[in-house]
Structures are given as C-alpha cells and as structure tokens.
Amino acid sequence: MNAPLATPRHLESYVCGRWVRGSGPGIPLLDASTGAVVALIDASGLDHAAMLDHAREKGGAALRRMTFHERALMLKAVGQALMEGKEEFYALSTATGATRSDSWIDIEGGIATLLSYASKGRRELPNARLVVEGEPEALSRDGTFSGQHVLTSLEGAAIHINAFNFPCWGMLEKIAPTLLAGLPAIVKPASQTAYLTELMVRRIVETGILPDGALQLVCGSVGNLLDLVTPQDVVTFTGSAATGRRLRAHPAVIENSVRFTMEADSLNASILGPDAGPGSEEFDLFVREAAREMTAKAGQKCTAIRRLIAPRAAIDAVAKALGERLAKTVVGNPAEEATRMGPLASLGQRDEVRGCIERLRAEAEIVSGDPADPRLASGDAEAGAFLSPVLLHCAKPLSASAVHEIEAFGPVATLMPYDTIEEAAELARRGKGSLVASVFTNDGGVAREMVGALGPWHGRILIGNRLSAKSSTGHGSPLPMLVHGGPGRAGGGEELGGMRAVKHYMQRSAIQGAPWLLTEATGRWMKGAKTRDEAEHPFRKSLAELEIGDRLVTGSRTVTLADIEHFAEFTGDTFYAHMDEEAARANPFFPGRVAHGYLIVSFAAGLFVDPAPGPVLANYGVDNLRFLTPVSPGDTLQVTLVCKAIDPRATADYGEVRWDCTVTNQDAAVVAQYDVLTLVAKTRRAAAV
Ligand code: NDP
C-alpha cells in the first residue's frame, strides 16, 4: 500500500518558530505511481525578510554561543531521534516513487551523514568556537611578528535550494556541516517531493534539540528570498544547470559576493578497462554496476552513470549482458514487494526523459528497453510515471555531441566504444566536468593513467576491481568524508569531504601580530609567546588548573655509545647508522654513528614525565615528529615542554592537552621537534588521585 492520505494536506513552511500555511490555494503534488494527490504546496505570503532576520539574529547567535562539540552532540541527538522514527519516512517516501532500497539511500543515508558529521566534528574540531588552521608562520627574524590562519562562523544564514530526487539526504547532507559551522539554515526542498522533507523537519523541530531559528523551511517558491541576501549568507543549489546558472547570476548574489555552491547536471562516465574483457571479474562488476546505477532511484541520481565507455572488442558482450540484466528489472509501484524499480518522480519528469531519449537517438540507437513500453502505460499504471530502463549505443562517440551533453535524468545510459585508453579518457572529458567517473580494471597502469587523465575533470573517481567488489560503496554513492561535487558542467561546487564542508560555511582570516597576542586571540600557544614556569610539574595539574604556556624545562642527559648499543640490541634496530662507524660516516647526513631517533624520543619522555599517578591519564601519540640534528655519542639532551592547546571533551571528564616538545643539544640546536598528545582529567577528583 502507498501511504494512505485521505484528504491531501496543505504543506506548511516553518517560519520564525511557527508552522505557516501559504495564502494561496496550493498546487497538488501527485503520488509518482498512482497519481493520487499526496499534498498541496504553496508558500505565497511568507515574510522572507523576517525569516532571514530570525535565522541571523536568533538561530545564528544561539549556534555561535555553542562550541563545535556542543553542536556536534546536537546533530547526534537529532540523528538518533530521526533514526528511531525512520519507518514513518519510509512509508511516505513510497509516494515519491522510491523503492525500499532507494529510500534507504535517502533516509538512512541522510541520517548517517548527519551522524558522521556529529562524530567527525568531535574528533577533528576543537571544543571551541574558533578553528586554528595549520601551523603559525614566523614573519620576522626576531620572532616578534607571526601569522596564523583561523576560521570563524559566518553571521548570516545558509539558504539551501534542493533537488527533488533526495528529499531527506539532500537536506541532511547540507544542514550537517552548516549547523556544525555555527550557521543557521533555511531549507527549500524541490516542490515535487517536499512533503517528505516537511515531515522530517517537523520531527526535527519536535525534538526541541535545535535552537530556535537554527532551521527554517520553505515549502513552495522562495519568492524574493534571494533579493535579500547579504555578504554573510551562503546559497547552495542542487538541480538543473539552467536554474543554477540563473540563480548564480542573481544580482544580490553577485552584488554581495555571496558564496554560491552549485551541484548540477553531470554526464558521469563509467569506463571498462582494456584489461577487463568478457569473462573477467571486472567485466561482470562493470555490468552489474551499470545496471544498478541505471535502475536505483530510476536513474534519478546526480551521480548515476550516463555514459558507458568500453573497449570496442567488448561492446557487443556488454550490450548483451547489460541488456539481459535490465530486461529482468521489475518496474512498478514501489509499494509492491516484487518491484525493483519505481516510477520517475512525476509524469512531467517522464516526458522530459522521453524527450531526451528522442534527442539521443539522433546519434545512438536503442539496444535494450522501450521508452514507450506498452506494459507500463496501460491499466492501473496509466497514472504512474513508469519507464523501462533504456540502453542506447553510439557507434561514433568521438564525432557525436548529444550523447555527451544531454542528461536524461532517468534509467537511461549510452554505451560507446573506444580503441585506445587515451580515447576512453577523451570521451569521459567530453562530459565537460562531472561529479564522478568509475574505472573497472585490475591493472595498476590503467588505474594510474586514468586517475591522471580524469582527475582534472571529476570530483570523484572510483576504481572498481575484484578485491574491493564486496566492500566498495559503488559508483553512485557520495560519502560524508569524501568530496562530492565536480568541475565545469557539474556546477563547479564542492560539498561534503569531511571538515572541508564545514569550512565552506566559515570565514578564513589570516591574523598577524606578536606571538603572545596571537596566542591570546586563538587559545593556542605558538613559539615566541609567553611561557609560565612554576615549581609544580605541569603533569600534576588537572585540565582546570593548566594554562596555555605552562612550561617545563627538564634536566639534561648525555647520550653514550653504550646507550646506543643497548637500544639497538634491545629493540633489534641495528641499522648501520647506529652500529657501523665507517658506513655511518659515508652517509651524507651523519658525522659518524648516531643515536636512534626513537632513542631520543624515549630519553625525552624519561626527562619530562612525572612518574607518580596524577591527572595525566594517558599519552596517546605525537604529531609532526621531526628529527632535525643528528645526536652523536657524548651529546647532551634537554627538553622544553610547553602547554600548547587545551581541549576539554564535552561528554567526558577528561580532555586533550597538546604539548609543544622541543629537544635540544648542548649547543641549543634543535634535535627533535613534535607535539605530545596527552589525555588529562578535568579535575584532580576525576583523576581519582
Ligand atoms: P530545477 O533546477 O528546476 O529545481 C531545482 C531546485 O531549484 C528546486 O528546489 C526548485 O524549486 C528550485 N528552483 C527552481 N526555480 C527557482 C527559482 N527561480 N528560484 C529559486 N529556486 C528555484 O530542477 P528540477 O527539480 O525541475 O529538475 C530538472 C532537471 O534538473 C532534471 O531533469 C535533471 O536533469 C536535473 N537535476 C539534476 C540534479 C543533480 O543533482 N545534478 C538533481 C535534480 C535534478 P521547485 O521545485 O519549487 O521549482
């Protein structure tokens, strides 16, 4: 059964903390399979200026008061609540034409993206409101003037204009980095499937987890919203290239240099390697992936494969194997269990796709499927936007243009032959910039050549082979930790990619000044800034007692030849530079036998630790370790340890302390430089000592 909706509901927009119905009669939104009215949509009469003010002044201000970890925990709580109520979304998703597995991508894929940002935010961002990016740059010889990049939250609002094909994922993948960055969001889903986004936003609002103004929703036209954008706002768009181009050129967007991210049509290619002939595992994977990409979401995925590029000798075998697979696809109402592919989102969308197929036929012939399949256009199915998968073959793709330009946003792909690997890459490039390309090969040389040739034109490249066959996430799946977006025709935007997406909603500034002032401003110690030496060892201090700049200058220790030999025997590291005087001298880096780097690090720890139980709970690693000056027998080591950053964990009774660790020799030359990472109890009581 499709979701029973006796009387179609008027969708509402969520505006300034209230659910509001548009003032017009509403445009009916139809079930993609049955044609029944699911809901009415209209957003006329909304006060867009008030929405933006509410977002900026209420939502943004509240979000900016929170730390990254607090925002991340907020996302986690929202994600968990949505996951608990997911079945309700599945039930309604059927009306969009999505099968259970299509809906899984949209609903659980979207929630998983939210949860992934919640987790990465706590692991990769500090429990603070400002991101210190990269290392400081020394800008003067005497160490009195330095530079540092920082990121702060924008003070505007993000307007997300989304596509119809992923009403849940499309919203969640964008609001996750937005909210984590401290920016409120106004979401405008595509009308066709907005009822599902509306339901999800209702459930999010009901949790009461997000601060007022952090999330608003427009169901219907955005009216004059874009006229009102300011330099602190961000606009993202997913949809057709034509609309995207129009919005990107909106006068207020240009006038205010508003960040505009566009993700549009993409003629994604999948290439069968020259090594992967019929009978090989890669050949089978290529065919399976092509069938999956053509039929998942009825091909209405921005990342779906539109062009299949195969060695000329394998073309007939691909056409046969893929045609047989596609012919077995059961097309129908996704509410029925046997259905493997649902309808397109609307009858209008089907007309659009059929039109595209007609235009493609000027350069390619249909080898499988029938765009006017009579079984899909009669009886009960009449009102549904059903279309059988259609595979075309273009014999001369290098002299063709439509097959590289027309995106039939449905279960349609064109197969094309190549003779050389350069030709395969050239055909992929004819898409003029795509979200993703895949290459199916078990040959390292082919992989290398393809990555080099396809990289400049693609946001993502998937290499498929027998080893990753089971674990691969596939050609069409954008992942929260990897970049999604592509150059040129694909819109030129970049989304996801882990913390890259968060930074997109923040302002990067280079700050310059005296190191101690930069340390005060950023909360991160840098060389040249003030230090504080106290009688008490800093390892005796809890997180609450430690201060940035707390310093320990240790006693010294002389390294002997016996130490080096003992370490070599004990660890088994008898590398010649430590054990063979003559060979070590012949090495351009060493004056003779030298101490092991790890011996230096070990002696340094021996010099700086405070052995008794205390607030320091664990050493969990070092960052950026470099050995800068060789240590010869007879050299004397000393360590300077400075508290560089203190990052309390939001949900634990400990936090991370980063120590700047400099090991010097008797001539004050730096022997080793690194950051030591420790976990320290927030209070002495929490340390239980
Ligand atoms: P559109 O570009 O028309 O719509 C995309 C989004 O933009 C929708 O939310 C739409 O809202 C909104 N929109 C449209 N006009 C304006 C405007 N003037 N001001 C502000 N917002 C606007 O694409 P469709 O959804 O109609 O899809 C058409 C084609 O786009 C597909 O056939 C396919 O080729 C391509 N497409 C590509 C996608 C991708 O990810 N690469 C995804 C979806 C579609 P509303 O729905 O209310 O009009």
Side-chain angles (χ1 to χ4, degrees), residues 225-348:
L225 193 62
L226 290 195
D227 293 343
L228 306 171
V229 291
T230 67
Q232 289 288 304
D233 299 325
V234 177
V235 177
T236 68
F237 170 82
T238 306
S240 65
T243 311
R245 273 195 296 269
R246 194 146 26 93
L247 298 186
R248 175 144 60 190
H250 189 289
V253 170
I254 293 174
E255 175 85 22
N256 293 292
S257 307
V258 170
R259 294 177 197 190
F260 187 93
T261 303
M262 174 166 154
E263 206 241 282
D265 311 356
S266 180
L267 274 291
N268 311 297
S270 184
I271 300 170
L272 181 65
D275 56 303
S280 70
E281 287 176 68
E282 285 68 32
F283 179 92
D284 294 343
L285 290 170
F286 173 78
V287 169
R288 199 182 320 151
E289 192 67 352
R292 191 161 68 142
E293 284 298 313
M294 287 176 70
T295 54
K297 285 289 290 184
Q300 300 168 109
K301 284 198 308 177
C302 50
T303 51
I305 297 170
R306 305 287 175 212
R307 297 177 299 150
L308 292 157
I309 302 173
R312 190 175 296 281
I315 281 286
D316 290 345
V318 172
K320 182 166 181 292
L322 183 53
E324 281 168 7
R325 260 184 186 269
L326 294 174
K328 285 189 204 140
T329 307
V330 180
V331 181
N333 187 330
E336 283 154 22
E337 214 169 299
T339 298
R340 288 292 161 267
M341 187 179 99
L344 298 183
S346 66
L347 290 173

Side-chain angles (χ1 to χ4, degrees), residues 41 160-166 188-193 219-223 226 237-244 246-247 250 263-266 300-303 306 349 352-353 356 407-410 435 484 489-490:
I41 190 163
H160 295 311
I161 300 174
N162 297 337
F164 68 82
N165 50 348
F166 289 109
K188 185 262 179 281
S191 294
Q192 180 58 43
T193 53
C219 284
S221 161
V222 287
L226 290 195
F237 170 82
T238 306
S240 65
T243 311
R246 194 146 26 93
L247 298 186
H250 189 289
E263 206 241 282
D265 311 356
S266 180
Q300 300 168 109
K301 284 198 308 177
C302 50
T303 51
R306 305 287 175 212
Q349 199 58 34
E352 178 86 27
V353 174
C356 290
E407 185 197 41
F409 206 64
L435 297 170
H484 173 53
R489 169 146 190 179

Side-chain angles (χ1 to χ4, degrees), residues 267 269 271 307 309 404 421-434 437 449-450 452-458:
L267 274 291
I271 300 170
R307 297 177 299 150
I309 302 173
H404 305 298
I421 193 158
E422 292 78 20
E423 210 175 282
E426 172 55 22
L427 289 172
R429 284 193 213 106
R430 295 269 173 111
K432 297 198 174 97
S434 303
E449 207 161 319
M450 280 298 172
L454 302 179
W457 294 90
H458 294 84

